[in-house]
Amino acid sequence: MRKIGNNGNEKNKRNGKNKKNSLPKLSPAQIAVVVGILTNALKVNSVLVDKDQRVEILLEGSLRKKTKADKLAEDLDDISVSDLIEAFILRQG
């Protein structure tokens, strides 16, 4: 004899589980990558797609906080050495 209205969900209802609401399980490494990307500690260096459409994403970053010297070095990256020396000479004079 067949029950009417049984579409396979009664078992899930009895156990209090619903497959639609279950969250994916993330490993600690996956969580670290997500947090690293969201906090800008990791940046995408390259994305490779091969002939089989497999994707490889290369991330790059540092766990060390930037110091004032690091930030200054980034700011001075576009300045030539001669311009930097000239700025020091003019500052002292």
Side-chain angles (χ1 to χ4, degrees):
M1 188 172 185
R2 197 173 133 193
K3 291 183 181 180
I4 298 174
N6 183 2
N7 60 6
N9 289 335
E10 286 184 20
K11 185 176 182 181
N12 287 338
K13 287 179 184 177
R14 278 187 263 132
N15 292 336
K17 294 180 182 177
N18 189 350
K19 289 184 180 181
K20 291 181 183 178
N21 292 334
S22 64
L23 296 175
K25 305 250 187 219
L26 295 176
S27 70
Q30 291 170 320
I31 293 170
V33 168
V34 170
V35 170
I37 291 171
L38 291 176
T39 60
N40 290 325
L42 293 174
K43 300 199 185 304
V44 175
N45 191 354
S46 65
V47 178
L48 305 171
V49 181
D50 69 8
K51 62 181 178 155
D52 297 323
Q53 295 189 350
R54 289 183 298 197
V55 179
E56 183 177 330
I57 301 170
L58 181 61
L59 300 173
E60 183 177 53
S62 174
L63 298 176
R64 184 174 70 86
K65 279 193 166 189
K66 289 185 180 180
T67 64
K68 288 182 181 180
D70 293 330
K71 292 176 184 175
L72 180 61
E74 284 180 3
D75 291 341
L76 296 177
D77 191 37
D78 296 332
I79 299 175
S80 68
V81 174
S82 62
D83 288 344
L84 185 59
I85 293 172
E86 184 179 337
F88 280 124
I89 291 172
L90 290 175
R91 186 173 180 195
Q92 291 179 1

